[in-house]
Amino acid sequence: MPVPDAQWLRRATKSAIVVPVPETDHLVTRHRRTVPAHVTVLYPFVAPRDIDARTVADLEAALVGIEAFECEFSQVGWFGSEVVWLAPEPDEHFRALTQAVCERFPAHPPYGGEHPDTVPHLTVVDHRTGDAHTRRRAAAELAAALPVRAWIDRVHLVAGEDEHGPWRTVATFELPAPLQRPREAAEDYFAS
């Protein structure tokens, strides 16, 4: 695994572990221009200036044994009236990713320990990126565009200058494909 870009990490102020979800970019881009669609695995993570080859290797070790998976975003959720998000189903795989990383990096609980039962979600718009009317309209538009199926096969370590970006990928970790993708297994079963 290559050593992360030290120059970028000196400028960055925050880091996170995220799962990109490009299948939902078309729904998210107009609301979150600087941050591509993703589900957060762990935020905040290690201070960017402290990320080195060992951090990357430890993160890679934490992900060993976790396979790529399929999920569907079929519901719009709200955190209060401030945050509109998409719910991945099933969410167990995302929870397993968070647990695996937290076990390896116990000094970095999700959201600084503020939310002990972290809910896997893909934020679309919040109070920083849209007013109340924009959030309600976005929720209605999202509901009409769902469901969206996604294949989750990578995890990114990202760092940014603040929570709005710009964020840059420091390292990418590919999740190995299972012997058979779930949809292929079902098709094989019904074909026989």
Side-chain angles (χ1 to χ4, degrees), residues 7-15 47-49 159-162 166:
Q7 184 177 358
W8 169 252
L9 293 174
R10 280 193 298 274
R11 289 194 316 267
T13 59
K14 301 191 182 283
S15 74
R49 69 183 171 279
E161 294 182 35
D162 65 33

Side-chain angles (χ1 to χ4, degrees), residues 34-53:
T34 61
V35 182
H38 67 277
V39 174
T40 301
V41 172
L42 185 60
Y43 172 86
F45 190 52
V46 174
R49 69 183 171 279
D50 296 333
I51 294 173
D52 57 15

Side-chain angles (χ1 to χ4, degrees), residues 59-127:
L59 186 52
E60 185 173 44
L63 299 173
V64 167
I66 298 177
E67 295 180 333
F69 58 93
E70 188 173 50
C71 70
E72 182 174 272
F73 294 88
S74 60
Q75 294 183 13
V76 176
W78 286 82
F79 290 132
S81 61
E82 300 292 311
V83 180
V84 179
W85 52 277
L86 299 178
E89 297 171 358
D91 71 358
E92 291 83 17
H93 300 288
F94 294 101
R95 290 178 185 275
L97 284 165
T98 298
Q99 181 179 348
V101 175
C102 286
E103 285 175 2
R104 192 70 171 206
F105 296 91
H108 302 282
Y111 301 100
E114 289 182 38
H115 309 287
D117 183 29
T118 303
V119 176
H121 64 281
L122 190 154
T123 299
V124 178
V125 62
D126 63 23
H127 66 283

Side-chain angles (χ1 to χ4, degrees), residues 132-146:
H133 174 73
T134 301
R135 293 191 300 271
R136 285 191 303 273
R137 189 178 73 237
E141 290 171 0
L142 289 166
L146 298 178

